[in-house]
Amino acid sequence: LIEAEAGFRAMGDDQRAARSLATLGRLHWMLGDGERGSEVLDHAIELLEPMGATPELVQSFVWASTLFMLQGQTDRSIELAERGLEIERDLNLLGARSQLLNNLGVCQSMLGEPSGLTPSGPTDALTPAAASQPSALPMISAMCSKHCASC
């Protein structure tokens, strides 16, 4: 990814270079180096923001918000999730919106804010997509029953 970022930069493709950096930041975090991961993701966001609303920028906000949420840095995660949602609004990226809303709700719940426990606002747009998906509840229930029977 380091070579990919350098190669894209040499070709003048700053968007793909920044996307490579965002992926590298996520990889650092996944390998246990959250501090380096957050630095690289912040840099990717800095590079992508001047390019306007892009899926790459929204994905960088998703990954950065998730990283900070899982590290317990709720204020930073909320800030990033809200910025990501603002940009995502015009792009209609349902998967990214879902993850950003999840991060926001988890962080609000961690802070004891009741608003994090109930769906509101932007989740309305997810309802038609979610309604068209089959429920996983019967499968999950069966798995739990099988597991409990073996205990």
Side-chain angles (χ1 to χ4, degrees), residues 4 10 14 22 36 45 52 73-74 85-86 100 116 123 130 140-141 147:
D14 291 341
R36 181 70 181 134
I45 290 170
Q73 297 182 41
T74 53
L85 284 166
E86 181 93 13
L100 289 164
T123 57
I140 294 169
S141 178
H147 174 74

Side-chain angles (χ1 to χ4, degrees), residues 12-62:
D13 191 342
D14 291 341
Q15 189 168 6
R16 288 172 72 185
R19 182 173 53 195
S20 296
L21 275 178
T23 304
L24 180 62
R26 180 162 169 81
L27 184 61
H28 278 296
W29 169 71
M30 291 173 70
L31 294 173
D33 191 353
E35 185 175 329
R36 181 70 181 134
S38 66
E39 290 170 4
V40 174
L41 280 163
D42 283 343
H43 185 57
I45 290 170
E46 287 173 17
L47 293 173
L48 287 164
E49 279 186 310
M51 297 176 203
T54 64
E56 291 83 5
L57 178 58
V58 173
Q59 188 60 57
S60 295
F61 277 113
V62 167

Side-chain angles (χ1 to χ4, degrees), residues 28-137:
H28 278 296
W29 169 71
M30 291 173 70
L31 294 173
D33 191 353
E35 185 175 329
R36 181 70 181 134
S38 66
E39 290 170 4
V40 174
L41 280 163
D42 283 343
H43 185 57
I45 290 170
E46 287 173 17
L47 293 173
L48 287 164
E49 279 186 310
M51 297 176 203
T54 64
E56 291 83 5
L57 178 58
V58 173
Q59 188 60 57
S60 295
F61 277 113
V62 167
W63 288 341
S65 175
T66 302
L67 180 151
F68 286 108
M69 176 191 67
L70 293 173
Q71 290 182 341
Q73 297 182 41
T74 53
D75 290 340
R76 181 80 171 120
S77 178
I78 288 170
E79 173 199 340
L80 292 164
E82 289 175 342
R83 286 173 61 197
L85 284 166
E86 181 93 13
I87 294 163
E88 183 279 332
R89 183 173 298 141
D90 296 329
L91 298 175
N92 199 33
L93 304 169
L94 291 180
R97 183 182 315 159
S98 173
Q99 184 63 55
L100 289 164
L101 288 169
N102 180 71
N103 293 353
L104 191 58
V106 168
C107 288
Q108 289 170 337
S109 296
M110 289 168 67
L111 293 171
E113 295 178 19
S115 61
L117 301 174
T118 57
S120 64
T123 57
D124 296 344
L126 297 175
T127 305
S132 68
Q133 299 301 314
S135 173
L137 189 57

